[in-house]
Amino acid sequence: MTPYELLDLILSLSNRLDTHWTLFITVHLALIGGIIYVDRPLNRKEKIVATFVYSGFAYINYAVMKRQFDFLGSIYEKLYLMKDDACCINNPVMDYMVESYGTHISTTSLYSILIVHLAMFVIVIASIFYDGSKSDIVDGKSDLDS
């Protein structure tokens, strides 16, 4: 592959990752807003279905993002290996991409995807299971008690 094709793939995958982050954030804002907005507590069946559906979404979103990120890393690596080729010496774009190879594709970025997904999983599942009416919260009751 040429450097141009690799750069095009990097930009394409970066856009897909941005789209997945946007989807992730939008779904979580809608979920948390919905849980807060619903005037009644969820019943047990609704909590089970919500947990099942959300778990599926969270897993699929994480798996897709991780695979895309791994693929992005392999493209950066290939581009990095081309840095000394005749086409790429003294090329400012290649210099930038080689320099950013170590910072954009790192284990820190992979861990951040995992940590954010796990944190939001815990927050959403806790919000689903501890959802209750305001009077139940004041009285210390839970829907799980019934």
Side-chain angles (χ1 to χ4, degrees), residues 33-42 131-135:
I35 290 169
I36 292 169
Y37 182 74
V38 172
D39 207 19
R40 66 170 179 77
L42 299 172
D131 176 48
S133 67
K134 289 181 184 177
S135 62

Side-chain angles (χ1 to χ4, degrees), residues 1-131:
M1 295 186 96
T2 67
Y4 172 80
E5 291 170 326
L6 293 173
L7 289 169
D8 190 43
L9 275 174
I10 287 172
L11 292 174
S12 176
L13 274 172
S14 295
N15 285 334
R16 288 183 71 182
L17 280 165
D18 288 344
T19 300
H20 272 93
W21 274 123
T22 302
L23 174 69
F24 181 81
I25 291 167
T26 303
V27 165
H28 286 86
L29 288 174
L31 276 171
I32 292 170
I35 290 169
I36 292 169
Y37 182 74
V38 172
D39 207 19
R40 66 170 179 77
L42 299 172
N43 64 42
R44 188 178 305 250
K45 288 180 185 175
E46 290 171 329
K47 289 180 180 190
I48 291 169
V49 169
T51 300
F52 180 74
V53 169
Y54 175 73
S55 296
F57 163 77
Y59 174 76
I60 290 169
N61 189 270
Y62 169 74
V64 168
M65 285 184 77
K66 184 176 180 324
R67 284 188 190 108
Q68 287 178 350
F69 203 80
D70 289 342
F71 185 39
L72 186 62
S74 70
I75 297 168
Y76 266 100
E77 185 176 340
K78 177 66 176 162
L79 204 58
Y80 180 81
L81 295 173
M82 298 175 77
K83 72 181 187 308
D84 294 326
D85 292 355
C87 65
C88 305
I89 295 176
N90 296 324
N91 183 329
V93 174
M94 283 296 291
D95 292 342
Y96 175 80
M97 296 308 286
V98 167
E99 184 179 310
S100 65
Y101 169 69
T103 57
H104 290 305
I105 306 300
S106 65
T107 54
T108 304
S109 298
L110 286 172
Y111 285 136
S112 68
I113 291 172
L114 177 63
I115 290 168
V116 168
H117 276 77
L118 285 175
M120 289 311 298
F121 183 82
V122 169
I123 289 169
V124 169
I125 297 301
S127 297
I128 291 170
F129 275 97
Y130 292 107
D131 176 48

